[in-house]
Every structure is written in structure tokens, then in C-alpha cells.
């Protein structure tokens, strides 16, 4: 059988070439040629003119051939499959949907394979699971499987004798039940993977990773744009046809974006990112896209020596010590529908340079510049002569503007060497005119702050939540501008000392 021919297409101008060149001959762009399959010859039977086809089949004008009214489409109950981890299910929107495609991306070594292998182990007890390892051998996956099995709850309690060591090839205690419906395939050939999916028809299939698979009909290397696109499309077709929930592991580029063509993110139903600081133990699972649930949901895990563990109270990770210090403020951020109590830390010191330094960790530096400009304009603080450093405790990335008031309070507290009263949280967006703007999900934020023992909350005026806050045991301090809010939070007027 003749091998299908391929050609190269420029992603900038659409020009075609028979071989790869670093520079497009038509538009002059560099590294924009991607390989594509040559389309098969058109079938004349399917390319007949519409009028000719209608005459041949005696189709009545205005009558549908294959479409049907939307009211006639039958509805099917959506039965989600739990991943075995509440944090994972939260990000997915309640669990895996049959026939859905979920792309999980993250930095190398962040724990993507560990997360999916733990979920596969949890799901194998109630659903059939196929784990395709395209990067590791079967023996390597089995070693990690045993390590995770040792961390599972099915352990002999303290004081009880442990079972003897299993012989070579014999499953350990607890492995046979967890792995009864777990099938492992170490393969990189797409055709063999598709054949296994057709034969097993599993409820869940995990591909680790999509960049390591290759289609033998394409001459390009695994991980190339054409290989990733064709492999993902073939897997998507079989997953939709068999109602198999498909989890794909994706690599990321050095800039942090998902590797491969952008069409891969459009093809799948959900895009999740697994991230975390390499110096910290916690990992964050976010939903960037989700057709079956809310986006920007957050799941928190902790990496331990026996795998990943769920963090049911993540606010404790992002709070500092019990002893208050100058230049710290506490905010309540929202990631999707989850409120997180986070500590902001600021340091303001006299600059030694002609241009003061501005550094921010966990928040956009341009946002910090804007808040400093508002404080200098409306409070008269000479912050342009001071260096300013800002950090979010725990390494969390805070993107929402509800953190503005907390940033302003931390900066002013560091500048005046003040300490906020214990038990105070600040929530509010700071406008360029110095006014405080309302934020969303404020009642949920106040409820989380009260649960963690906070007693005072500084919020924008006009929320109408005074009665609800009293029911939570919170003293609600409403303010219309940044100066009024800082006086309520700090107990002094920061504009009194302008020197």
C-alpha cells in the first residue's frame, strides 16, 4: 500500500511547499511551515451537484434529509464518573463525563502522571480503565503503582503483623482488587493504541502523553504539530463513538503554554493546568476551559513522599504565622467558586537608585504600579522615592482586582511601620480615582473569613450584607474610598505624615 503523501503549509499565509524550509518563500516568515497529510481524491459520488443529487433521490424541496428538529433530539441523563478525588472532581465540574476529552498540562516533574495514576487506581474499582504509557515502560509504571498502593488506606494498622513479601510477579495485598479493571499498555504507536481501545472499550482511558504518540502514516517526528493534531483527532473520534472518557497528558513550552497546535485546545472539552512552585509542596489544578463545568476552578493538592494528597482547607497554606507584623494584610481571593484567605506581604524602603525598584511575586507588577500611583496621588505618600516589594504568601497567583485594597493596606502599613489589628480582612477593588468598587461573591468571602476566625472585614460601601456579616460574627466596616478604608483598617490616617 502506497504511503500517503504529505506537504507543508505556512501557518501565516497558507502557502504550500513540497518540502520543509526554515523560511516561507511567500511571506518570509520563519519556522511557520507545518506538515499536513495530502487530502485523498474526492469521491465523485459525494461531490455531485446539489440539484442533480436531489433529482436522483426525488428529494422534496424544504424537507430535511438527515437533520431533525431540536425538540425531537432525545435527552440522556448525564452520569458523571468520580475521579476518586474531590479536588479533581471540583475542577472537572463534578466528575468525568463519558465521551469527553480532558487535556492536563503542566511543567515536567510537577506530578501530572502521579495525579492521573492515583485517579486511575481509585476509579479501577468501579469502572474499567486503560492507562497508555507512551513515555515510561510498564515496569516503571508498576513501581509507581506499588508506591501509591503503600500509601493507600488499605494498610495494616499499627501493631498488626504485616504480610510476607510477595514472590516475583505476584500482586501485593490490596493490588489485585484495585487493579482488577486496570489495564496497562506501554506503546507509542497510534494504530496499536486505537486497536486496544476498540477491543477493550474502557470507561476511562489515560494517554501519557499525547506528544509521545506517533502516527506511522506521517513522516514527522513525535511531538510535531502534525503528529499531535492527527493523533488527538483520531483519539477524539473513537472516544466520542465509544463514550470513553479520555484524559490526555500534554507537555508545556518553556513559556508555560501548552505545546502543540492551538487546535488541540479547541478539540478537547476541558483544559486543565497543573502548576506549583518547585520550592513548595502544594500543587494547584486549574480549569482553563470546561464545556461541562465552571472555568477557573481550583483544586489544591500536596505532594508527599507517597504521592499527592488532597488539601481540604487550602486557606491554611496561604496564611502566615499567628504573630502579626508590619507590612502584612489579609485578603479573601476567589478562584472560581472557592474562596481563599491569603496573606499579602509588602516591604517599602528608601531607594538607593535613581529609579526606585518595583518587584511583585504572585500579582501582576503593572497592578502594583497602578496601586502605588493611586496612593501617591490621593494620600500624598511619596512612594516614588521608595523601593517597593510585594509578595503573596504560599506562592499563589492572585489575578482578580479584589486584592487591590489588601495590597494598598500592606504597602501603607510597611511605609508607616504599622501593624493591622488581628482578625482583619480587606476586600475591594481600587479605582483610579481612589474609590472602592464592589466585588463579586462577597458573601462567600465573608463566610470563609468568619470560618477561619476573622472578626473584622473592610469592604466597599453599599454591599447590603451587614445583617449577613453579623450572623457570621463579623464586624463589617464599609468605606467609599481608599483613604476611608485605610483609616478603618489601620486606626490612623495614613495621609497625616506626608514626609
Amino acid at each position: 500500500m502506497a504511503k500517503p503523501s504529505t506537504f507543508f503549509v505556512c501557518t501565516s499565509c497558507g502557502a504550500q511547499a513540497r518540502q520543509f524550509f526554515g523560511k516561507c518563500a511567500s511571506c518570509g516568515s520563519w519556522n511557520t511551515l507545518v506538515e499536513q497529510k495530502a487530502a485523498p481524491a474526492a469521491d465523485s459520488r459525494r461531490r455531485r451537484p446539489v440539484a442533480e443529487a436531489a433529482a436522483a433521490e426525488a428529494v422534496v424541496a424544504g424537507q430535511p434529509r438527515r437533520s431533525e428538529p431540536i425538540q425531537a433530539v432525545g435527552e440522556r441523563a448525564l452520569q458523571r464518573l468520580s475521579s476518586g478525588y474531590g479536588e479533581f472532581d471540583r475542577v472537572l465540574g463534578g466528575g468525568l463525563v463519558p465521551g469527553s476529552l480532558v487535556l492536563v498540562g503542566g511543567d515536567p516533574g510537577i506530578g501530572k502522571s502521579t495525579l492521573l495514576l492515583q485517579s486511575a487506581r481509585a476509579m479501577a474499582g468501579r469502572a474499567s480503565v486503560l492507562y497508555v504509557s507512551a513515555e515510561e515502560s510498564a515496569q516503571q509504571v508498576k513501581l509507581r503503582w506499588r508506591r501509591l498502593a503503600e500509601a493507600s488506606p488499605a494498610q495494616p494498622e499499627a501493631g498488626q503483623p504485616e504480610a510476607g513479601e510477595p514472590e516475583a510477579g505476584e500482586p501485593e495485598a490490596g493490588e489485585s482488587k484495585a487493579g482488577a479493571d486496570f489495564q496497562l499498555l506501554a506503546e507509542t504507536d497510534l494504530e496499536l493504541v486505537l486497536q486496544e481501545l476498540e477491543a477493550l472499550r474502557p470507561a476511562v482511558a489515560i494517554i501519557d502523553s499525547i506528544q509521545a504518540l506517533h502516527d506511522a502514516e506521517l513522516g514527522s517526528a513525535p511531538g510535531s504539530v502534525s503528529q499531535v493534531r492527527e493523533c488527538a483527532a483520531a483519539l477524539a473520534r473513537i472516544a466520542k463513538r465509544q463514550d470513553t472518557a479520555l484524559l490526555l497528558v500534554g507537555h508545556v513550552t518553556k513559556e508555560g503554554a501548552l505545546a502543540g497546535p492551538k487546535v488541540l485546545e479547541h478539540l478537547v472539552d476541558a483544559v486543565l493546568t497543573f502548576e506549583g512552585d518547585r520550592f513548595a509542596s502544594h500543587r494547584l489544578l486549574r480549569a482553563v476551559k470546561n464545556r461541562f463545568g465552571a472555568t477557573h476552578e481550583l483544586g489544591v493538592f500536596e505532594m508527599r513522599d507517597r504521592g499527592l494528597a488532597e488539601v481540604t482547607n487550602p486557606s491554611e497554606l496561604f496564611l502566615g504565622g499567628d504573630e502579626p507584623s508590619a507590612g502584612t494584610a489579609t485578603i479573601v481571593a476567589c478562584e472560581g467558586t472557592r474562596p481563599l484567605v491569603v496573606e499579602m506581604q509588602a516591604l517599602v524602603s528608601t531607594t538607593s537608585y535613581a529609579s526606585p525598584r518595583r518587584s511583585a511575586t504572585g500579582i501582576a507588577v503593572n497592578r502594583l504600579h497602578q496601586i502605588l500611583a493611586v496612593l501617591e496621588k490621593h494620600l500624598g505618600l511619596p512612594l516614588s522615592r521608595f523601593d517597593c516589594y510585594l509578595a503573596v504568601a504560599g506562592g499563589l497567583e492572585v489575578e482578580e482586582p479584589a486584592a487591590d485594597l489588601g495590597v494598598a493596606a500592606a504597602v501603607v502599613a510597611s511605609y508607616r511601620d504599622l501593624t493591622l489589628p488581628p482578625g482583619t480582612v480587606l476586600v475591594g477593588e481600587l479605582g483610579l480615582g481612589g474609590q472602592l468598587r464592589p466585588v463579586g461573591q462577597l458573601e462567600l468571602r465573608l463566610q470563609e473569613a468568619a470560618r477561619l476566625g476573622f472578626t473584622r472585614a473592610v469592604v466597599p460601601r453599599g454591599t447590603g450584607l451587614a445583617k449577613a456579616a453579623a450572623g457570621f460574627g463579623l464586624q463589617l466596616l464599609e468605606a467609599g474610598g481608599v483613604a476611608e478604608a485605610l483609616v478603618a483598617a489601620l486606626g490612623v490616617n495614613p495621609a497625616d505624615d506626608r514626609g
Side-chain angles (χ1 to χ4, degrees):
M1 182 176 179
K3 187 176 182 180
S5 60
T6 60
F7 62 96
F8 296 85
V9 178
C10 176
T11 56
S12 296
C13 66
Q16 298 184 5
R18 301 304 301 177
Q19 64 182 23
F20 178 81
F21 296 99
K23 181 179 180 180
C24 176
S26 298
C27 65
S29 301
W30 287 91
N31 299 322
T32 57
L33 293 177
V34 296
E35 186 182 20
Q36 290 188 0
K37 287 182 180 180
D43 189 348
S44 60
R45 294 174 299 174
R46 300 187 62 185
R47 296 300 180 185
R48 290 181 294 174
V50 176
E52 184 180 318
E57 299 182 17
V59 176
V60 180
Q63 295 295 323
R65 300 180 63 187
R66 293 182 177 84
S67 62
E68 58 181 336
I70 190 170
Q71 294 85 355
V73 177
E75 295 185 5
R76 184 175 58 179
L78 186 62
Q79 297 291 337
R80 292 180 181 264
L81 177 63
S82 173
S83 66
Y85 290 88
E87 295 294 302
F88 201 176
D89 290 341
R90 167 194 286 270
V91 179
L92 290 171
L96 287 169
V97 176
S100 64
L101 274 75
V102 179
L103 178 62
V104 182
D107 292 330
I110 202 69
K112 303 182 297 297
S113 300
T114 300
L115 173 65
L116 295 182
L117 189 59
Q118 287 185 222
S119 297
R121 176 181 171 81
M123 290 185 290
R126 56 187 182 277
S128 56
V129 179
L130 172 62
Y131 191 99
V132 179
S133 176
E135 295 182 348
E136 298 176 285
S137 66
Q139 289 74 20
Q140 289 175 304
V141 177
K142 182 61 180 294
L143 287 175
R144 193 179 328 121
W145 170 276
R146 284 192 172 180
R147 187 178 75 249
L148 298 176
E150 293 173 1
S152 64
Q155 293 279 329
E157 298 181 1
Q160 293 184 353
E162 298 186 0
E165 291 293 328
E167 298 180 0
E170 180 184 346
E172 293 184 353
E175 282 192 15
S176 57
K177 182 179 180 180
D181 292 325
F182 185 96
Q183 297 291 325
L184 175 62
L185 174 64
E187 185 56 65
T188 60
D189 192 337
L190 174 65
E191 187 62 31
L192 297 179
V193 173
L194 295 177
Q195 291 176 7
E196 194 72 12
L197 286 170
E198 286 278 8
L200 290 177
R201 294 182 174 269
V204 180
I206 299 172
I207 310 296
D208 186 9
S209 67
I210 187 63
Q211 277 83 5
L213 289 183
H214 79 279
D215 186 352
E217 295 183 355
L218 290 177
S220 56
S224 62
V225 172
S226 56
Q227 286 280 4
V228 172
R229 182 179 60 246
E230 295 298 330
C231 291
L235 290 169
R237 287 192 294 269
I238 193 171
K240 300 292 184 184
R241 187 171 65 249
Q242 297 182 172
D243 278 344
T244 296
L246 193 61
L247 292 162
L248 305 176
V249 176
H251 297 171
V252 295
T253 62
K254 58 183 179 181
E255 291 83 12
L258 284 167
K262 198 67 177 178
V263 70
L264 178 61
E265 297 181 43
H266 293 287
L267 179 67
V268 299
D269 299 304
V271 179
L272 312 182
T273 60
F274 202 43
E275 56 194 43
D277 189 348
R278 62 192 181 97
F279 299 108
S281 61
H282 63 270
R283 302 288 186 266
L284 306 178
L285 184 66
R286 299 178 186 270
V288 179
K289 169 190 175 183
N290 194 350
R291 289 174 179 162
F292 305 107
T295 56
H296 300 292
E297 282 289 355
L298 181 72
V300 185
F301 296 85
E302 183 180 2
M303 179 63 77
R304 300 177 180 173
D305 58 344
R306 299 293 185 182
L308 289 162
E310 295 180 280
V311 178
T312 56
N313 188 13
S315 293
E316 295 178 352
L317 288 174
F318 309 116
L319 284 175
D322 296 333
E323 189 70 24
S325 59
T328 62
T330 305
I331 67 168
V332 186
C334 266
E335 292 285 346
T337 58
R338 159 169 279 177
L340 296 173
V341 179
V342 183
E343 183 180 272
M344 313 291 294
Q345 303 170 351
L347 174 63
V348 179
S349 60
T350 306
T351 184
S352 303
Y353 306 95
S355 178
R357 298 194 60 182
R358 304 282 189 261
S359 175
T361 302
I363 194 171
V365 68
N366 288 336
R367 195 75 185 174
L368 174 61
H369 290 162
Q370 179 177 314
I371 295 172
L372 294 177
V374 171
L375 293 176
E376 184 158 6
K377 173 70 175 179
H378 298 283
L379 297 183
L381 303 180
L383 297 175
S384 59
R385 301 200 300 264
F386 291 82
D387 294 335
C388 184
Y389 304 91
L390 184 73
V392 179
L396 182 69
E397 294 283 341
V398 179
E399 299 178 355
E400 63 167 349
D404 291 354
L405 183 56
V407 173
V411 169
V412 172
S414 178
Y415 172 74
R416 294 290 307 275
D417 198 20
L418 297 173
T419 301
L420 269 79
T424 303
V425 294
L426 303 101
V427 181
E429 178 183 355
L430 189 58
L432 293 179
Q435 71 276 17
L436 284 184
R437 299 181 182 276
V439 299
Q441 299 177 310
L442 184 56
E443 185 174 357
L444 187 65
R445 301 172 196 259
L446 296 178
Q447 187 176 359
E448 177 68 9
R451 188 182 67 83
L452 293 176
F454 289 87
T455 57
R456 302 169 71 240
V458 183
V459 299
R461 181 175 288 123
T463 60
L465 295 176
K467 184 178 293 186
F472 298 149
L474 276 175
Q475 179 187 2
L476 202 64
L477 305 175
E478 296 185 330
V482 60
E484 184 181 356
L486 293 178
V487 169
L490 297 170
V492 297
N493 189 355
D496 287 344
D497 181 10
R498 297 174 181 246

